Amino acid sequence: MATYLTPALAWRRLREGNERFVSGESRHPNQDASRRASLVEDQHPFAVIFGCSDSRLAAEIIFDLGLGDAFVVRTAGQVIDDAVLGSLEYSISQLHVPLIVILGHDSCGAVNATKAAVETGEMPPGFIRDLVERITPSVLTSLRNEQTEVNDMVVEHVKQTAARLADSSRVISDAIEEGRTAVIGLSYKLDEGRAALVSGIGQL
């Protein structure tokens, strides 16, 4: 069965799930055999969550979701590349998801590595360098704004990632303009389990 939610209602549903998780009252919805069987032919997730790969940031758990509820894309430091853009465009154009969530978190290792690289001038080896290069603009903006803490840089990176999505993808920007989807940035606190809104693009 299709989920026809507005961006605002989708965000409300995520907020309510996160509140249950924070208070220790998770319901673990849509995780039984009948739900599994109902999803064999198709899927109608109500949100796409693009978050950091960090093992402590399991999207379905922190928003108290189940099978078929969220289309989830994860990279270290929630770094955008062509595969990420393609995945997100698929969720909008084919699955008609009304809400894109950019999910960052405090004490992010990828942002920490970027901060160290900017401060020392030493780039990490291998493909970690690619992650650092993509996060560097967010770290530099934070430093220009005299925000030197990693967690401030995480928030800046979430904001810049959301803005870049809307700028880079015609599919996504058209959906935002038409009110079919919105992009929100959330920053997650590892100790509290709470995901706080830090940016929004589109009608909420």
Side-chain angles (χ1 to χ4, degrees):
M1 179 182 122
T3 306
Y4 298 109
L5 291 180
T6 62
L9 285 172
W11 168 221
R12 179 177 166 183
R13 191 164 160 190
L14 285 179
R15 253 191 345 262
E16 289 170 348
N18 184 234
E19 285 296 335
R20 292 195 300 272
F21 173 68
V22 169
S23 61
E25 296 173 0
S26 295
R27 296 177 192 157
H28 310 290
N30 298 328
Q31 296 181 20
D32 57 8
S34 65
R35 175 66 168 184
R36 189 175 70 228
S38 75
L39 293 167
V40 171
E41 298 301 328
D42 58 8
Q43 59 170 321
H44 301 282
F46 72 89
V48 54
I49 300 171
F50 172 40
C52 182
S53 300
D54 192 294
S55 62
R56 299 163 291 182
L57 203 67
E60 287 91 346
I61 295 175
I62 68 177
F63 293 110
D64 196 23
L65 302 173
L67 297 172
D69 288 335
F71 188 84
V72 180
V73 181
R74 296 172 71 179
T75 61
Q78 71 275 356
V79 161
I80 294 175
D81 61 16
D82 288 350
V84 167
L85 282 171
S87 300
L88 296 178
E89 287 189 349
Y90 176 81
S91 75
I92 298 301
S93 63
Q94 303 300 311
L95 303 178
H96 311 294
V97 172
L99 186 67
I100 298 175
V101 177
I102 312 299
L103 182 62
H105 66 96
D106 53 8
S107 306
C108 179
V111 176
N112 238 329
T114 306
K115 179 176 185 282
V118 168
E119 288 171 350
T120 64
E122 293 179 21
M123 290 296 277
F127 284 98
I128 299 173
R129 175 190 294 246
D130 187 59
L131 294 175
V132 164
E133 286 174 348
R134 291 169 192 264
I135 298 171
T136 294
S138 302
V139 170
L140 292 175
T141 299
S142 293
L143 292 173
R144 272 200 305 274
N145 294 334
E146 298 183 354
Q147 295 177 319
T148 56
E149 298 298 318
V150 167
N151 295 345
D152 292 328
M153 293 173 179
V154 167
V155 170
E156 180 61 34
H157 184 52
V158 167
K159 291 177 180 176
Q160 287 201 19
T161 303
R164 190 169 161 220
L165 260 190
D167 290 342
S168 303
S169 167
R170 174 58 66 86
V171 170
I172 293 171
S173 62
D174 284 352
I176 293 169
E177 281 177 29
E178 293 164 15
R180 291 186 283 113
T181 195
V183 180
I184 61 172
L186 303 180
S187 182
Y188 178 80
K189 291 199 178 308
L190 294 171
D191 56 352
E192 291 176 28
R194 190 179 304 279
L197 186 70
V198 295
S199 73
I201 303 170
Q203 298 172 7
L204 269 180

